[in-house]
Amino acid sequence: GFFLNTLALRVDLSGSPTVAELLARVKSRSLEAQQNQDIPFEQVVELVQPSRSRAHTPLLQVTLTWQNTPREELALAGLELGPVPGASAGAAKFDLSLGLSEVDGRIVGGLTYATSLFEPATMERYVTYLRRVLEGMVAGPEQRVERLALLPEEERVQVVEAWNATRAEYPAHLCVHQLFETQAERTPDAVAVVYEGEALTYSELNQRANRLAHYLAGRGVGPDVRVGLCLERSLEMVVGVLAVLKAGGAYVALDPEYPEDRLRHMLADSEPAVLLAHCVLAARFAGMHVPVVALDRDASSWATLPGTNPHHPTLGPDHLVYVIYTSGSTGRPKGVMNVHRNVVNRITGIQASWKLGAHESVLQNASLSFDVSAYEIFWPLMMGARVVMTRPEGHKDPDYLVQTIRRNGVGTASFVPSMLRIFLEHPEVESCTSLARVPCGGEALPGVLVQRFYQRLPNARLFNRYGPSEAATAVTECSRAADETRASVPIGRPMPNARVYVLDRAGEPVPPGVAGELYVGGAGVGRGYLARPELTAERFVADPFGGEPGARLYRTGDRARWLRDGRIEFLGRNDFQVKVRGFRVELEEIEARLREHPEVREAAVVAREDTPGDRRLVAYYVGVAGKVGVEALRAHLAERLPEYMVPAAYVALEGLPLTPSGKLDRDALPAPGGDAYARRSYEAPASATEGALAEIWSGVLDVERVGRWDHFFELGGHSLLAVRVISRVRQVLEVEVALSELFERPVLADFVLRLEAASRTELPPIVPADRSGRLALSFAQQRLWFLEQLGRMGSTYHVRRRLRLRGELDRLALVRALDRIVARHEALRTTFAVVQGEPEQRITP
């Protein structure tokens, strides 16, 4: 029979032991285990009752066998016995098994491994690493085990130098706005920015920004002086951003969607010299001890100032360009500072990869408080292309996005994966034929989403990008193919002049395939956190690999590993930071604000994905005197945190579960039940429409029943789920309603009233116009005619028209045909540009 028992050992590696201390621990633990070597492994499993899985053996998956059985000859009467050479080990019984023995004074052996988990090249590397560790151990028993060199020199050079060979030239001596000014001189009449039918040329945008910049400079704005910006997406937003930079200052992004408590903290923390806002938002900052300038109300204050480019002799590429606030573990957001040099480098690297043409359009889809907005604005403006601004909340509406992309011929549009998933399900997404590239970031990109992307948009390219705000947007990029099979797509290779390292706890590079913490270095690493020197020192550390004096690395807190081909795979966080719908959230900040409620004694928050693709924040709390109303807790946080940080569910517990060491056991927190959501007294739907809508809400929110007075967002809804509701309403009820209606009427009964009103609305009949004579000018044409009478407008206004040629004609015939089309509109001066060539050259459709 089989006279061996497997002994399961747990070896303690805490306290950073030396080699000698580790050997002593292993010896002690092995001898203790051998006191129970007569107990079969199966009985141990039966007594411990671990979680069982068909994917691996219980208790342990890696084994060591030391073959020290005496090898005396075994003799039986009438038989000759001996080993069979080359006998196969058969199927691997564990994930990894190391068998060793001593032969003639040498240790020899081999590895047996599960081929479904490991490749032969990986196992060969493991053997090399084991030899390196053993060599380090015998070289000095006083060494710390975690300091033992694992990588051979050639592999260390590969992960530190070869895969970080990203050096590239870029205009490091220039500031962001100076590159825009150069482009404005080159193409003054080209359209620079478009918003809801309005447009500004490069010349107009530059002059408007210059006038405002001179005004700001007169109010004390200069190098490293901060200016708050609380603006909805609009032409004024782009003017404001450029004006702050031209004045020499740095803008502080203040999202209008943030609650007043958060905005007050950000203003107090950043201490801006002045705050630029829209008139409707300016009232929110009354009494905050900061001068407020309304761009759409106070324009007369700078309308007569010079339109020339301001000049600041002391302004350089190492001065601040912006401060963007991110979630903070202390309970308050922290301001990330970045400089001109870093942004210029990133945009230059993007252009080298994506080759944006001057004829293209880029969708500006992100809030200023999201660092993606920096390249959405600056990149096209540096390359002579157009910025197409989406309206406020438009980035959440797939109907609006499809129409905007199609109408403006947008070639580049950025998404977070959760929004990309909804965008791709739009029935008309395939009509967005102008899309050439779709950058995706903010959270892990699933491989199934990549496959869906290429099914719907086969002619576009999908880029998976990774980068923290502390390093000027993306530091790695991966262009994905349609045959992506990985569950989570790699985040790619370092961008130009970026250096990326995967390090262990001792700060040493780890081999390919081994998990470690991701560090970012090179051009792009920000200045640090505003007014937070301790946190800056903790997260921005000295760079031992860069070779440049004063170089620093940013500790991202993300876990990752190198793949064999030099790409990086993201593995998650090593702290309590999570990504929810693309937003970076520190769970500790939510917990701190939740504990501020007078009826809450303890609190914990986790991000759960009980439904695939729908990640929600769930709060767990211990009340001072029992259960607290969900509505009260939600209202408490909604006053202090932005919408994406407010948990969807609130679970009352008698006590938070703890591990044996006394720490919070997050894995033991239960899934939220129906009472964890804010519910109002149930009243059944009163009409067929209410019943149909309740069924839609129930399916989207994954709740058992919905009453007519229930609140969509209190039931766990959020902006992306609202998009799904509007889509289902269109399909099931055949009613068109704007996404904003659900935000304005989140109670089911109220929303149904809007649906019924929309279904009753009848458009007036279309009556054919009399086209026998001259047609009257439209209001827009009359306005242009009026402005023309005031002085020659030159090429200030352009009306684009795309014509399909049904036959073949020469260039002169084309010009004449176009002339005839507009002959009746004599009030408009029209110019046609035809590709240069001979007049008789044929033009095919």
Side-chain angles (χ1 to χ4, degrees):
F2 185 65
F3 300 106
L4 296 175
N5 284 327
T6 299
L7 290 179
L9 306 180
R10 180 181 287 114
V11 179
D12 182 10
L13 285 167
S14 64
S16 185
T18 64
V19 171
E21 290 170 343
L22 175 63
L23 293 177
R25 292 182 190 180
V26 172
K27 178 180 179 180
S28 173
R29 182 54 58 90
S30 300
L31 292 175
E32 291 172 2
Q34 289 180 24
Q35 300 301 313
N36 302 301
Q37 60 180 309
D38 57 330
I39 302 177
F41 180 69
E42 290 76 10
Q43 289 188 22
V44 177
V45 173
E46 183 178 347
L47 291 172
V48 175
Q49 294 185 349
S51 299
R52 304 299 295 269
S53 171
R54 297 180 62 184
H56 55 77
T57 55
L59 293 186
L60 54 90
Q61 290 81 48
V62 179
T63 65
L64 167 66
T65 303
W66 177 248
Q67 298 285 5
N68 60 351
T69 304
R71 292 179 176 270
E72 292 87 356
E73 292 295 332
L74 179 61
L76 296 175
L79 291 175
E80 293 182 4
L81 304 173
V84 178
S88 172
K93 298 176 177 60
F94 299 92
D95 294 353
L96 181 63
S97 299
L98 175 63
L100 297 174
S101 62
E102 184 176 353
V103 177
D104 298 331
R106 299 175 67 238
I107 296 177
V108 298
L111 283 172
T112 302
Y113 61 92
T115 55
S116 60
L117 299 177
F118 302 105
E119 297 176 351
T122 303
M123 291 298 98
E124 291 173 3
R125 292 204 313 272
Y126 277 15
V127 172
T128 303
Y129 302 151
L130 178 59
R131 284 185 60 92
R132 290 276 294 174
V133 170
L134 294 177
E135 289 168 355
M137 292 176 74
V138 299
E142 73 287 349
Q143 297 181 85
R144 300 289 176 185
V145 174
E146 63 182 18
R147 292 285 183 177
L148 295 175
L150 194 64
L151 287 172
E153 185 58 30
E154 63 274 11
E155 206 164 307
R156 182 185 176 90
V157 170
Q158 182 184 55
V159 299
V160 172
E161 298 296 336
W163 286 346
N164 277 307
T166 59
R167 183 174 179 80
E169 295 297 325
Y170 72 101
H173 62 290
L174 294 177
C175 295
V176 171
H177 59 280
Q178 291 171 333
L179 292 173
F180 164 72
E181 291 168 353
T182 301
Q183 185 61 49
E185 292 177 4
R186 189 180 299 124
T187 57
D189 297 328
V191 175
V193 58
V194 177
Y195 174 73
E196 294 292 283
E198 299 181 81
L200 291 176
T201 65
Y202 274 83
S203 176
E204 291 171 329
L205 176 59
N206 194 40
Q207 291 181 24
R208 287 179 59 171
N210 285 338
R211 293 188 181 98
L212 180 56
H214 285 295
Y215 173 80
L216 293 174
R219 301 197 63 159
V221 177
D224 277 1
V225 175
R226 297 176 291 277
V227 177
L229 290 183
C230 189
L231 300 165
E232 299 281 10
R233 277 190 296 277
S234 59
L235 298 182
E236 287 85 5
M237 187 184 86
V238 181
V239 171
V241 167
L242 289 173
V244 172
L245 303 188
K246 283 170 170 284
Y251 67 88
V252 180
L254 303 169
D255 196 317
E257 296 297 315
Y258 285 171
E260 186 172 317
D261 179 80
R262 193 176 185 84
L263 290 176
R264 285 183 177 275
H265 166 76
M266 293 164 66
L267 278 174
D269 188 64
S270 61
E271 299 180 327
V274 66
L275 172 65
L276 303 182
H278 278 123
C279 185
V280 295
L281 299 172
R284 299 183 62 184
F285 302 98
M288 291 193 184
H289 307 293
V290 58
V292 180
V293 176
L295 292 188
D296 48 351
R297 182 192 62 197
D298 303 330
S300 59
S301 300
W302 56 86
T304 59
L305 295 180
T308 55
N309 295 331
H311 179 60
H312 297 278
T314 61
L315 181 64
D318 290 320
H319 282 110
L320 285 182
V321 62
Y322 61 68
V323 176
I324 287 180
Y325 277 81
T326 66
S327 182
S329 59
T330 61
R332 292 290 184 177
K334 54 186 183 291
V336 178
M337 301 184 289
N338 233 309
V339 300
H340 284 268
R341 183 193 308 275
N342 295 345
V343 178
V344 169
N345 171 68
R346 286 287 179 266
I347 291 175
T348 305
I350 290 172
Q351 178 63 11
S353 173
W354 293 355
K355 305 291 190 300
L356 181 71
H359 62 284
E360 293 189 71
S361 298
V362 175
L363 195 68
Q364 204 287 294
N365 205 28
S367 165
L368 271 185
S369 59
F370 196 20
D371 56 6
V372 171
S373 62
Y375 87 78
E376 287 181 337
I377 295 174
F378 300 138
W379 174 47
L381 291 181
M382 291 180 183
M383 305 305 159
R386 290 179 298 279
V387 179
V388 177
M389 314 283 292
T390 59
R391 67 190 182 199
E393 299 300 315
H395 64 290
K396 302 175 183 177
D397 188 346
D399 279 330
Y400 171 77
L401 289 177
V402 168
Q403 295 170 11
T404 302
I405 291 171
R406 196 166 50 195
R407 181 172 61 249
N408 294 281
V410 171
T412 304
S414 300
F415 292 91
V416 295
S418 48
M419 186 61 209
L420 178 63
R421 180 182 292 106
I422 295 174
F423 176 71
L424 293 176
E425 295 309 314
H426 192 279
E428 298 181 13
V429 72
E430 292 168 331
S431 66
C432 298
T433 55
S434 61
L435 273 180
R437 55 189 83 82
V438 175
C440 205
E443 56 193 23
L445 177 63
V448 292
L449 187 57
V450 175
Q451 297 172 2
R452 183 60 174 162
F453 175 88
Y454 285 107
Q455 290 172 0
R456 303 302 308 276
L457 297 170
N459 297 321
R461 290 181 65 192
L462 181 63
F463 295 86
N464 190 28
R465 311 183 79 226
Y466 164 86
S469 299
E470 289 83 349
T473 69
V475 295
T476 66
E477 180 179 280
C478 184
S479 178
R480 295 314 312 134
D483 59 350
E484 179 60 53
T485 57
R486 287 180 174 269
S488 181
V489 177
I491 58 176
R493 297 178 175 83
M495 296 281 287
N497 297 308
R499 295 173 69 89
V500 179
Y501 308 97
V502 183
L503 308 180
D504 61 18
R505 288 181 298 178
E508 286 295 316
V510 298
V514 176
E517 183 175 355
L518 199 60
Y519 286 67
V520 175
V525 176
R527 185 184 291 184
Y529 298 112
L530 180 64
R532 304 281 289 276
E534 300 85 1
L535 184 60
T536 298
E538 176 188 338
R539 305 303 295 186
F540 294 82
V541 298
D543 181 0
F545 312 109
E548 298 180 5
R552 296 178 306 155
L553 297 178
Y554 170 64
R555 293 182 56 192
T556 67
D558 291 328
R559 294 175 60 251
R561 64 181 175 186
W562 289 105
L563 300 178
R564 285 191 306 160
D565 58 4
R567 294 183 301 167
I568 296 173
E569 183 178 27
F570 176 79
L571 299 175
R573 292 289 300 177
N574 60 12
D575 56 15
F576 303 124
Q577 185 187 109
V578 297
K579 285 292 187 75
V580 179
R581 308 196 301 279
F583 296 100
R584 193 167 91 179
V585 176
E586 293 277 2
L587 298 178
E588 291 172 326
E589 179 178 358
I590 308 175
E591 293 169 354
R593 306 316 296 269
L594 191 56
R595 284 192 293 268
E596 291 175 359
H597 192 285
E599 298 299 319
V600 173
R601 185 170 70 247
E602 297 178 81
V605 179
V606 298
R608 301 183 66 100
E609 195 169 343
D610 297 312
T611 302
D614 181 19
R615 201 174 201 199
R616 304 187 191 186
L617 294 174
V618 178
Y620 299 85
Y621 69 94
V622 178
V624 174
K627 193 172 182 179
V628 185
V630 175
E631 297 88 349
L633 294 178
R634 182 179 176 87
H636 170 79
L637 292 179
E639 292 176 358
R640 294 160 174 81
L641 299 172
E643 177 268 334
Y644 64 86
M645 293 180 68
V646 178
Y650 302 80
V651 180
L653 299 174
E654 293 183 1
L656 296 179
L658 303 177
T659 64
S661 61
K663 296 181 179 180
L664 174 65
D665 188 355
R666 294 180 181 268
D667 293 335
L669 293 170
D675 60 346
Y677 299 92
R679 286 190 171 277
R680 308 188 179 188
S681 56
Y682 179 76
E683 183 177 333
S687 67
T689 305
E690 287 187 0
L693 184 61
E695 188 173 339
I696 292 173
W697 284 21
S698 177
V700 170
L701 298 172
D702 195 24
V703 296
E704 290 186 9
R705 70 176 187 177
V706 176
R708 64 191 311 258
W709 302 116
D710 277 329
H711 190 289
F712 178 77
F713 297 101
E714 291 177 355
L715 288 178
H718 52 70
S719 56
L720 295 185
L721 292 179
V723 173
R724 293 177 58 188
V725 166
I726 299 301
S727 178
R728 291 286 296 152
V729 165
R730 185 182 304 110
Q731 296 171 11
V732 175
L733 300 178
E734 298 182 348
V735 177
E736 287 288 343
V737 63
L739 177 65
S740 59
E741 297 287 353
L742 183 53
F743 286 85
E744 295 173 5
R745 299 173 174 83
V747 175
L748 186 136
D750 295 339
F751 187 57
V752 166
L753 293 177
R754 181 65 189 91
L755 292 180
E756 292 175 343
S759 64
R760 290 193 299 267
T761 302
E762 294 185 4
L763 296 175
I766 298 177
V767 179
D770 181 9
R771 297 182 177 272
S772 58
R774 294 184 180 274
L775 294 177
L777 296 181
S778 69
F779 292 128
Q781 291 170 328
Q782 292 177 37
R783 176 174 178 269
L784 292 178
W785 178 88
F786 176 77
L787 292 175
E788 177 68 17
Q789 307 315 302
L790 299 179
R792 294 182 59 83
M793 299 300 295
S795 57
T796 301
Y797 291 89
H798 292 268
V799 177
R800 297 192 300 113
R801 179 69 61 194
R802 184 167 54 192
L803 303 177
R804 181 185 298 276
L805 304 181
R806 300 273 182 202
E808 189 175 280
L809 68 164
D810 59 39
R811 295 174 187 275
L812 281 179
L814 174 60
V815 173
R816 290 167 182 157
L818 295 173
D819 277 332
R820 286 195 298 272
I821 291 174
V822 295
R824 63 187 63 187
H825 299 293
E826 294 178 354
L828 293 179
R829 178 167 49 82
T830 308
T831 302
F832 295 108
V834 181
V835 179
Q836 291 182 356
E838 296 300 324
E840 66 277 6
Q841 183 177 343
R842 310 300 289 177
I843 300 176
T844 56

